[in-house]
Amino acid sequence: MQPTHTRLEATGAEDAERLLEVRKLKTHFFADEGVVRAVDGVNLSLKRGQTLCVVGESGCGKSVTARSILRIVPNPGAIVGGEILFQQRNGDTIDLAEMNPRGREIRRIRGGEISMIFQEPMSSLSPVHTIGSQIMEAILLHLPVTRQEARKRAAYMLDLVGIPRASEQLDAYSFELSGGMRQRAMIAIALACEPQLLIADEPTTALDVTTQANILDLIRDLQQDSGMSVLFITHDLGVVAEIADEVVVMYLGRDVESGDVDSIFHDAKHPYTRALLQSIPRYDSRDNRRLYSIKGAVPHPFDRPNGCPFHPRCDDFIAEQCNRIDPPRQVISGKHSVRCLLYSTAEEAPNNKDMLP
Amino acid sequence: MIWYIARRIVYLIPTLLVVSVIAFLVIQLPPGDFLASLISKAEETIDQAQVDALRERYGLDEPIYVQYWKWISGIIARGDFGDSFEWNRPVSDLIWERLGLTMVISLFTLAFIWVVAIPIGIYSAVKQYTIGDYLVTVVGFIGLAIPNFLLALVLMYIAFRYFGQSVGGLFSPEFIDAPWTLERMLDMLSHIWLPVIILGTSGTAALIRVMRANLLDELSKLYVDAARARGLSELRLLFKYPVRVALNPLVSAVAWVFPALVSGSAITSIVLNLQTTGPLLYRSLQAQDMYLAGSLILLVSVLTIIGTLVSDILLAWIDPRIQLQ
Amino acid sequence: MTSASSRPPVDMQSDQVAGIQSDTRVVVANQWQLIWWKFRKHRLAMFAGAVTALYYLVALFAEFIAPYSAGTYSAQHTFLPPQSIQLFQQTEAGWRFFPHVYGHKVQVDQESYKRTYVLDESVVFPVGLFVRGEAYKLWGIFTLDRHLIGAARYGDPVHLIGTDRLGRDVLSRTIYGTRVSMSVGLVGVGLSLLLGVILGGISGYYGGLVDNLIQRTIEILRSLPTIPLWMGLSAAIPLTWPPVRVYFAITVLLSLIGWTTLAREVRGRFLSLKTEDFVIAARLDGVREMQIILRHMAPSMTSHIIASVTLAIPGMILAETALSFLGIGLRPPVVSWGVLLQEAQNVRSIATAPWLLFPGLAVVVAVLGMNFLGDGLRDAADPYQT
């Protein structure tokens, strides 16, 4: 495969469509006990108006990737390498990874061009401020409006996300709303300034199933109306099937496989992806087989395996290969690519030296 | 909110009842009834009629609950706290100014504690594990470990040894018994800083730790990240969200800091010779002047209970979640 | 237990030969071992623990450690300033190791007849360890005459921290005071704990009306200014009571008001434990209430209670010191830090003899040590939390 860099330059038309391009992103945490390589060379690419799902087990670096994009990685974490290219509204492409995380520039992006919603709607709203004041805060920060206009817009936003009696709820506190309503309010805050990109970090995990479906529908509807892109982080493959255009499967801080939703679901290559798909419970299974589960557990962050990070849990493990060679990224077809030695061809390997860490 | 306040005030009634019983108990505790000690202390013989009148007034021949009723109803209905035998005056003549000064010192100290503890606590939390944080922690622990009266003694010694002046008292000699004027007020303000610092040290140390711990808790909460993701600047973010939330427990901390202040001021005032309730209580206890002592304990307790009530209401006002409970 | 086996403690990694054994040991590491491992990392708390242990050792062996008895006085050496130990002495042959202190000459001011001490380097009193001195009965049983430190020649006036107005050795009295003050804290907290655990446990376990009643009581007690109350109550202790009874009366008074904090802690723990799965499971299995409390809930609370107790002792010590300082707590001839500080009640006496504040230093260090220790224990009390 050619490095993405050159390809991006080559096709200008595609370039215009591309909103976000994450290249070899590395975010590490420097703890007393050692360095945790939470994100270690992730590549993502997201087009305007599309939805990209990032999937993987807990602890594989999905959330850290999302936070890295907004530069809100908690201490003692820091981006140590890679690029996060983002095309602003004015057409300029900037590298978010190079920005000062406390600077004015990134603050203009946050909430204005890229918004984020989090896993637990209860704790992502301030317990002592009204919903209205938190929406208005976002509006006043990014839009040139008066307080009154901001309040009006806040009420409009609450209405838009389907909160009944919106203008009354402006003065409600988060503890007065149900979980689903809180997540709707979070979405209202996030979309108040019409961002180009919404990062949703497992927004439905803490909600019950019916509410989950409602929130997913809401996000999809709003996306259709506004044309924004969505980066959706989840461990729920059912959700992925429902909303994704493209999928990135992550394992231990790596994108092990990526492609459009069809090729991931129907033509999965990486043993990890296949294992994930197998572990979805099916209602239609006739025999009473036990539910498949991937053997072993995600390793402790300090003892990360050499070679392919998945090899200790892999059924197709090739001795003396997988535990030594870090598999390069391999294009299967079109957008579909995988990082696994099973698909590596000898003649292509040298070209991918730059992909090795 | 009104319901909340009303409920709190209703809760107050049993508390006040218990306090009054305890104060009455203190009056009753010394062996023998106080008339015996009154007679033994009197310089000239008291005639029997006078003794009988007192016996009647305090209901000394009647069961204990009647005595209590006579005492408490006298206080509530007429503000009659009984007589001080040592001073030979009604108790109520002696206590109001001292009670006022106790209140003034306690409130000043409370203000001092807040003004010092909050910024240092914020600093310590934001700069967790830096040298400054460690320094604050160690100094805070030392502040907690030094008893008020010891600090008072040491500061007095330093002032005496190195500045050649004896500090202490709330007023310059010429103002001690003067009526309240602007000059007297200013004179008091120029003296009050020392007791305020002494009394405030341990409270400040405690509140710094509370503030630091609270803020550290809040800083890691998701709503901080959410607000940051909205594009808020770090400083505004800090003060608008986590600091604001972390302040709530600090307001409720008044409920335990205030009694401790009133309590601590009793001893510090004795050492520093301040005209507060402490030295008067001390003297009345030594002289077994029990009506004075009991009244002082009652009033000081009522004072702290009211302080606690105010802090509760304040908390409910700033934290909307409280009223719901 | 998997969390324990995934991270072996440091000292076991070198234990390669006995690999299997150490593995099994790791797997059975109980809660107390985990607490100890976690606590050990907390350097300051470890140090504070050592200091606290030292205090209790001093309290235990006060007679042996103190150079003099608490009551020994010397009319010729009143308000003697502290003498600093000189470790070496210069002789013709050079410096030699010879621990000693210098004597003092008395100068009497002709006008004011005020006595002042002037250091007299010509008079040398050798100082030694394990010296023979006044005879004493250790714990009232063993008659001994050895002292940890003191004048090498019996009868020399060696007073490392000086003397008070009766010429009593301040260091010795502070050491004896350690016994009383530290034990008041311990006994007082013991009583508070009893009250706190019983009432807090009842409150947390049964909830409802009982809980409400006990919580109200605690709130009332907490909103009272303790020192005026203590003053009032302890002033009622008859002057004629013997010292031991006064001592117990004071500790009872202290714990009567001090139990509320512990009760709150216990109640809070009970409430959170009550909804834990293992407690619910035990109840569904039909285990009796008492059994649930003793077998299932008590063990997981003990570590927290120990931490709270450690943090409660300093409060007791401070309260006793304050009351005795005012003269309405313990009274002479009982020697506690507070009683000793009574000697330093006004500026004039401190100005004459600042070393009378030495017991205050003992208080501060003791309280500091126990606070740090308690803090460390509290952090370690929940070893499963990272």
Side-chain angles (χ1 to χ4, degrees):
Chain A
M1 187 198 90
Q2 304 278 324
T4 30
H5 195 61
T6 44
R7 239 181 44 178
L8 197 79
E9 281 167 6
T11 50
E14 224 175 283
D15 187 22
E17 269 185 48
R18 201 175 307 271
L19 181 67
L20 179 74
E21 173 98 34
V22 173
R23 292 179 188 161
K24 297 186 211 168
L25 176 69
K26 290 184 179 185
T27 304
H28 294 178
F29 286 77
F30 301 90
D32 289 341
E33 293 91 343
V35 178
V36 177
R37 298 189 291 179
V39 175
D40 202 29
V42 158
N43 301 281
L44 304 172
S45 169
L46 176 57
K47 285 185 194 155
R48 287 182 188 282
Q50 291 218 313
T51 300
L52 173 68
C53 277
V54 180
V55 250
E57 283 164 287
S58 313
C60 68
K62 304 179 303 252
S63 290
V64 177
T65 307
R67 282 165 177 262
S68 300
I69 294 170
L70 266 188
R71 305 303 309 278
I72 53 170
V73 178
N75 268 334
I79 294 182
V80 293
E83 295 170 310
I84 304 167
L85 301 177
F86 177 74
Q87 194 179 56
Q88 288 176 281
R89 236 178 236 124
N90 60 17
D92 292 346
T93 298
I94 45 167
D95 183 1
L96 301 178
E98 279 189 347
M99 285 187 169
N100 171 11
R102 316 185 112 217
R104 190 179 295 272
E105 264 183 288
I106 188 73
R107 294 207 313 262
R108 199 178 47 74
I109 303 277
R110 287 178 194 154
E113 304 228 12
I114 306 177
S115 285
M116 184 159 175
I117 52 177
F118 297 86
Q119 187 169 351
E120 288 160 45
M122 179 72 228
S123 43
S124 35
L125 286 164
S126 161
V128 295
H129 294 86
T130 58
I131 306 292
S133 81
Q134 289 170 82
I135 307 182
M136 282 166 65
E137 176 183 74
I139 296 170
L140 289 168
L141 271 170
H142 299 288
L143 301 177
V145 293
T146 64
R147 285 195 68 83
Q148 270 175 341
E149 290 165 334
R151 192 176 164 87
K152 219 182 251 172
R153 180 163 178 80
Y156 168 77
M157 287 311 298
L158 283 187
D159 190 51
L160 192 69
V161 297
I163 291 183
R165 294 176 290 117
S167 45
E168 284 172 46
Q169 299 292 352
L170 281 179
D171 296 318
Y173 291 95
S174 65
F175 58 87
E176 294 170 323
L177 301 180
S178 68
M181 285 300 145
R182 279 180 213 138
Q183 196 59 291
R184 283 173 193 266
M186 277 308 293
I187 294 172
I189 296 175
L191 301 189
C193 304
E194 296 180 340
Q196 299 195 76
L197 170 62
L198 174 69
I199 302 176
D201 185 1
E202 307 211 26
T204 56
T205 308
L207 305 173
D208 65 72
V209 184
T210 14
T211 321
Q212 272 185 21
N214 291 337
I215 295 288
L216 285 182
D217 286 345
L218 175 67
I219 292 177
R220 205 164 30 191
D221 290 349
L222 291 170
Q223 183 179 18
Q224 264 161 17
D225 294 345
S226 65
M228 68 179 175
S229 311
V230 175
L231 180 68
F232 201 99
I233 291 167
T234 182
H235 60 256
D236 185 345
L237 287 167
V239 171
V240 176
E242 213 170 307
I243 63 166
D245 294 310
E246 291 185 31
V247 181
V248 170
V249 181
M250 275 186 79
Y251 186 75
L252 280 188
R254 283 291 167 80
D255 51 321
V256 292
E257 183 162 9
S258 52
D260 58 89
V261 64
D262 281 340
S263 41
I264 295 291
F265 273 84
H266 302 298
D267 188 24
K269 295 294 182 201
H270 200 282
Y272 179 62
T273 316
R274 292 206 303 248
L276 278 181
L277 288 166
Q278 267 187 57
S279 53
I280 304 176
R282 284 173 208 284
Y283 301 109
D284 58 350
S285 70
R286 267 169 227 155
D287 42 12
N288 291 326
R289 274 180 312 168
R290 284 179 69 93
L291 188 59
Y292 178 84
S293 68
I294 306 174
K295 68 177 180 188
V298 179
H300 194 272
F302 292 117
D303 36 63
R304 192 193 166 86
N306 283 331
C308 170
F310 187 61
H311 81 259
R313 305 174 71 190
C314 184
D315 291 330
D316 305 314
F317 167 61
I318 312 169
E320 299 306 308
Q321 295 277 314
C322 292
N323 53 351
R324 292 195 173 169
I325 303 165
D326 196 4
R329 201 157 132 181
Q330 195 71 41
V331 177
I332 301 293
S333 62
K335 295 173 198 156
H336 193 180
S337 64
V338 65
R339 284 209 215 194
C340 180
L341 291 179
L342 292 174
Y343 308 95
S344 174
T345 44
E347 60 272 16
E348 268 186 284
N351 293 343
N352 287 294
K353 256 187 190 151
D354 62 322
M355 297 307 283
L356 295 172
Chain B
M1 188 72 194
I2 291 165
W3 279 114
Y4 178 80
I5 295 175
R7 211 171 59 213
R8 296 300 310 185
I9 289 175
V10 170
Y11 277 157
L12 217 61
I13 293 168
T15 313
L16 291 175
L17 202 71
V18 170
V19 167
S20 68
V21 169
I22 293 176
F24 185 68
L25 218 64
V26 170
I27 297 177
Q28 296 297 320
L29 269 179
D33 70 46
F34 67 87
L35 275 186
S37 57
L38 175 66
I39 294 163
S40 69
K41 267 181 203 147
E43 279 149 23
E44 60 222 71
T45 35
I46 303 169
D47 65 69
Q48 192 57 39
Q50 209 175 339
V51 172
D52 287 344
L54 283 170
R55 203 169 276 280
E56 170 66 29
R57 179 177 168 198
Y58 294 114
L60 290 183
D61 290 329
E62 290 174 79
I64 189 108
Y65 56 87
V66 178
Q67 291 186 37
Y68 170 74
W69 175 248
K70 285 205 165 186
W71 176 70
I72 196 74
S73 58
I75 291 175
I76 294 169
R78 302 185 299 274
D80 172 16
F81 288 89
D83 285 345
S84 159
F85 306 128
E86 206 202 352
W87 299 74
N88 212 6
R89 281 162 67 189
V91 166
S92 49
D93 284 2
L94 295 165
I95 47 180
W96 293 115
E97 191 187 79
R98 286 177 175 260
L99 212 58
L101 284 177
T102 305
M103 195 75 183
V104 166
I105 288 183
S106 301
L107 288 178
F108 265 92
T109 312
L110 205 58
F112 168 81
I113 288 176
W114 270 52
V115 167
V116 177
I118 292 174
I120 295 180
I122 294 173
Y123 170 85
S124 199
V126 173
K127 304 269 175 190
Q128 194 191 10
Y129 301 141
T130 59
I131 293 172
D133 176 34
Y134 285 126
L135 202 73
V136 167
T137 306
V138 169
V139 171
F141 263 110
I142 294 173
L144 271 179
I146 300 180
N148 283 337
F149 70 88
L150 196 65
L151 191 64
L153 285 174
V154 170
L155 288 185
M156 279 168 81
Y157 172 66
I158 290 171
F160 179 81
R161 181 83 172 67
Y162 298 100
F163 304 103
Q165 58 180 5
S166 72
V167 287
L170 266 185
F171 302 102
S172 307
E174 65 270 26
F175 283 112
I176 286 178
D177 287 319
W180 278 105
T181 55
L182 189 64
E183 285 80 32
R184 191 171 189 237
M185 192 96 103
L186 293 175
D187 183 59
M188 182 188 80
L189 289 181
S190 69
H191 282 81
I192 208 170
W193 60 272
L194 186 71
V196 162
I197 290 175
I198 290 169
L199 275 175
T201 308
S202 62
T204 307
L207 279 202
I208 286 175
R209 286 168 53 71
V210 173
M211 183 71 201
R212 178 178 182 273
N214 287 340
L215 189 54
L216 281 176
D217 270 1
E218 294 303 327
L219 280 176
S220 61
K221 293 258 172 82
L222 209 49
Y223 70 83
V224 179
D225 282 331
R228 186 174 288 131
R230 237 172 271 156
L232 218 56
S233 75
E234 288 298 317
L235 205 66
R236 258 181 79 187
L237 172 74
L238 179 68
F239 282 95
K240 183 166 178 191
Y241 292 100
V243 168
R244 169 73 179 72
V245 180
L247 278 180
N248 290 354
L250 232 61
V251 173
S252 61
V254 174
W256 53 264
V257 170
F258 195 68
L261 279 183
V262 175
S263 182
S265 79
I267 292 185
T268 310
S269 299
I270 293 167
V271 176
L272 287 179
N273 190 26
L274 308 178
Q275 322 298 117
T276 65
T277 45
L280 193 62
L281 175 63
Y282 180 54
R283 225 157 77 196
S284 63
L285 285 171
Q286 284 187 326
Q288 299 236 328
D289 188 356
M290 295 324 284
Y291 272 96
L292 182 54
S295 309
L296 281 171
I297 289 176
L298 177 70
L299 286 173
V300 167
S301 304
V302 169
L303 203 74
T304 49
I305 290 165
I306 292 172
T308 312
L309 175 76
V310 170
S311 84
D312 275 350
I313 292 173
L314 215 63
L315 182 65
W317 180 54
I318 66 164
D319 190 341
R321 284 172 298 179
I322 302 283
Q323 288 174 55
L324 225 69
Q325 285 160 12
Chain C
M1 281 298 122
T2 44
S3 64
S5 56
S6 67
R7 271 218 225 164
V10 188
D11 62 337
M12 279 177 195
Q13 283 169 341
S14 59
D15 202 6
Q16 294 292 344
V17 190
I20 300 162
Q21 278 179 332
S22 73
D23 267 353
T24 46
R25 210 186 112 197
V26 174
V27 171
V28 298
N30 63 28
Q31 191 193 5
W32 295 107
Q33 267 165 308
L34 292 174
I35 290 175
W36 167 240
W37 290 338
K38 195 165 174 195
F39 179 71
R40 211 167 44 178
K41 281 194 202 155
H42 206 318
R43 293 282 162 76
L44 193 59
M46 283 288 282
F47 179 71
V51 170
T52 309
L54 205 68
Y55 263 89
Y56 278 109
L57 275 180
V58 168
L60 211 54
F61 297 100
E63 291 95 339
F64 166 66
I65 292 165
Y68 300 91
S69 79
T72 309
Y73 63 94
S74 157
Q76 293 124 39
H77 299 103
T78 59
F79 288 130
L80 191 75
Q83 300 156 314
S84 54
I85 296 183
Q86 314 291 319
L87 283 181
F88 297 94
Q89 190 186 36
Q90 197 173 22
T91 59
E92 301 82 48
W95 292 92
R96 70 172 179 131
F97 182 70
F98 177 70
H100 63 279
V101 296
Y102 295 122
H104 284 94
K105 270 194 304 219
V106 179
Q107 275 183 352
V108 180
D109 189 279
Q110 291 304 323
E111 282 166 37
S112 65
Y113 295 104
K114 214 176 133 193
R115 281 152 45 101
T116 46
Y117 290 98
V118 179
L119 201 65
D120 181 2
E121 297 204 5
S122 63
V123 185
V124 166
F125 301 122
V127 174
L129 295 176
F130 302 105
V131 293
R132 204 173 288 279
E134 277 175 74
Y136 56 88
K137 271 196 162 178
L138 188 63
W139 307 327
I141 306 169
F142 310 107
T143 310
L144 299 169
D145 63 356
R146 290 281 172 186
H147 293 263
L148 178 66
I149 192 168
R153 289 192 306 256
Y154 182 52
D156 278 354
V158 172
H159 299 285
L160 299 175
I161 311 287
T163 63
D164 65 4
R165 72 193 150 83
L166 295 178
R168 293 175 296 196
D169 187 50
V170 173
L171 177 64
S172 301
R173 286 172 68 75
T174 307
I175 288 172
Y176 276 90
T178 305
R179 173 173 289 173
V180 175
S181 293
M182 295 297 278
S183 69
V184 165
L186 216 53
V187 175
V189 166
L191 288 174
S192 305
L193 184 65
L194 204 67
L195 272 171
V197 166
I198 292 173
L199 292 175
I202 290 173
S203 190
Y205 197 82
Y206 292 105
L209 188 69
V210 188
D211 180 34
N212 225 320
L213 210 69
I214 293 175
Q215 288 312 304
R216 292 280 110 202
T217 316
I218 290 179
E219 261 173 49
I220 291 172
L221 284 177
R222 280 172 78 93
S223 64
L224 299 180
T226 46
I227 288 175
L229 262 185
W230 274 324
M231 282 167 72
L233 293 174
S234 62
I237 296 173
L239 289 165
T240 48
W241 278 16
V244 176
R245 207 189 291 171
V246 173
Y247 171 93
F248 278 108
I250 292 287
T251 38
V252 167
L253 279 185
L254 292 183
S255 48
L256 269 184
I257 299 174
W259 61 276
T260 53
T261 323
L262 283 170
R264 280 212 160 174
E265 172 80 6
V266 171
R267 173 178 175 266
R269 291 279 148 211
F270 249 106
L271 283 183
S272 60
L273 275 175
K274 212 161 83 169
T275 53
E276 287 281 341
D277 289 344
F278 68 91
V279 173
I280 294 172
R283 184 163 304 133
L284 291 177
D285 279 350
V287 182
R288 277 179 299 125
E289 291 292 279
M290 218 47 220
Q291 193 109 3
I292 292 178
I293 295 176
L294 292 179
R295 182 74 61 77
H296 297 276
M297 293 172 80
S300 29
M301 290 173 58
T302 321
S303 56
H304 290 278
I305 290 178
I306 289 175
S308 321
V309 161
T310 316
L311 287 171
I313 294 177
M316 292 277 168
I317 293 176
L318 286 176
E320 182 275 320
T321 308
L323 285 184
S324 304
F325 170 74
L326 289 179
I328 47 181
L330 303 177
R331 302 164 191 146
V334 174
V335 181
S336 80
W337 292 330
V339 172
L340 293 178
L341 283 172
Q342 246 187 302
E343 299 277 333
Q345 217 173 26
N346 52 57
V347 178
R348 202 171 311 136
S349 47
I350 303 173
T352 339
W355 53 89
L356 289 179
L357 285 175
F358 180 70
L361 189 68
V363 176
V364 173
V365 173
V367 172
L368 209 53
M370 295 195 110
N371 276 340
F372 275 124
L373 174 65
D375 231 39
L377 284 175
R378 193 169 48 187
D379 284 352
D382 214 343
Y384 305 104
Q385 226 170 37
T386 42

